[in-house]
Amino acid sequence: MQKLRSKDGCPWDKEQNHASLKPHLVEETYEVIDAIDSGDPAKLKEELADLFFHIIFHCQIATEKGEFDMGSVMALCLDKMTRRHPHVFGDASATTPEEVIHQWEQIKKTEKGYEERKFIVDGLPKHLPALQKAQKLQKKVAKVGFDWTNIQDVIAKVDEELREVKDAIRENKPGHIEEEVGDLLFSVVNLSRFLNFDTENVLHKTICKFVDRFKKVEMELASMGKDIEKCTLEEMDAIWNKVKGSISK
């Protein structure tokens, strides 16, 4: 990395800074997630190497500015993980994952920077995808008791929000419709969280399922000598239902 950033290094690498690397860092992170989903250890190894390179990249930029280096980052990681696991490295006790999480949160409150959080809902990453942010927010308020007591109440809330979307559509006020659709999405995230599902992952699986089925629709129509762009909705829907039925059997 030092060589790449040196006078005789790579023109592209020399021009980069923390901000310019952000989109690449996000992309590499998602590629790691794709590799995990693939179940291929070799692919995961490769993508982790790419992600680790970005960590090295950021550390080198900071080193050049005299801010910090890789060694200090690793030392901070070691110190933090040791401090937050007193049930392993100290005398504390935590025998369940729930106890560990509670202890973790309590320790975080004593650390530098936490004093800036004046409210329970503070501390949400600004660039976190909306579904993940909604679920993280709901978990935060649930920890202080602001949560539903049973699944039926959550389902009733989803039904209520759907009715309000329908009412807003009848009123034909775009701003109000947008607001109510947002409320509906938020309530569905709550339902997913209450059922112990990761909402982002749930939707991702559904997207993958849709993509797979639609590809089969395209292939089926092509085998019939039809151009999908010239097909009617009824034709596509018939093939969709055929594909869906064959998959479910």
Side-chain angles (χ1 to χ4, degrees), residues 205-216 240:
K205 287 181 178 179
T206 296
I207 291 170
C208 289
K209 181 172 65 176
F210 182 93
V211 168
D212 182 62
R213 288 181 180 177
F214 202 81
K215 285 180 179 178
K216 288 182 171 64
W240 174 273

Side-chain angles (χ1 to χ4, degrees), residues 47-196:
E47 297 303 339
L48 284 173
D50 291 345
L51 180 60
F52 192 61
F53 179 77
H54 271 268
I55 296 172
I56 296 171
F57 208 144
H58 282 282
C59 287
Q60 178 60 28
I61 292 172
T63 299
E64 293 165 7
K65 294 181 178 181
E67 298 170 340
F68 58 82
D69 58 15
M70 175 62 81
S72 62
V73 169
M74 297 307 295
L76 179 61
C77 177
L78 176 62
D79 177 66
K80 181 183 290 186
M81 292 303 107
T82 302
R83 185 173 64 255
R84 292 187 182 179
H85 291 82
H87 54 292
V88 177
F89 301 105
D91 299 326
S93 175
T95 57
T96 67
E98 292 75 21
E99 289 178 353
V100 171
I101 292 172
H102 176 73
Q103 180 178 254
W104 179 282
E105 293 297 331
Q106 294 304 307
I107 293 171
K108 280 177 63 176
K109 291 179 181 179
T110 67
E111 296 175 348
K112 183 180 179 182
Y114 200 92
E115 63 274 7
E116 298 174 2
R117 301 183 185 183
K118 298 179 181 179
F119 303 97
I120 295 293
V121 294
D122 284 343
L124 292 170
K126 183 171 63 174
H127 296 292
L128 198 66
L131 285 178
Q132 287 181 286
K133 185 178 287 188
Q135 188 154 346
K136 192 174 183 68
L137 173 61
Q138 292 165 1
K139 286 181 178 180
K140 276 177 170 285
V141 298
K143 289 175 183 177
V144 294
F146 193 76
D147 200 8
W148 304 101
T149 56
N150 61 75
I151 189 67
Q152 294 305 320
D153 289 340
V154 185
I155 294 173
K157 185 62 178 176
V158 173
D159 291 338
E160 175 191 329
E161 296 297 350
L162 179 57
R163 286 195 300 272
E164 292 181 2
V165 168
K166 293 177 180 178
D167 291 341
I169 291 173
R170 280 192 289 269
E171 293 174 4
N172 196 28
K173 295 180 179 179
H176 189 202
I177 295 171
E178 180 183 35
E179 180 183 351
E180 294 302 341
V181 170
D183 291 345
L184 175 60
L185 287 172
F186 194 80
S187 65
V188 171
V189 171
N190 233 336
L191 175 61
S192 180
R193 177 190 61 83
F194 208 86
L195 292 169
N196 294 316

Side-chain angles (χ1 to χ4, degrees), residues 209 212-213 216 241-249:
K209 181 172 65 176
D212 182 62
R213 288 181 180 177
K216 288 182 171 64
N241 289 328
K242 178 182 176 182
V243 169
K244 184 178 178 181
S246 65
I247 293 175
S248 60
K249 288 179 181 179

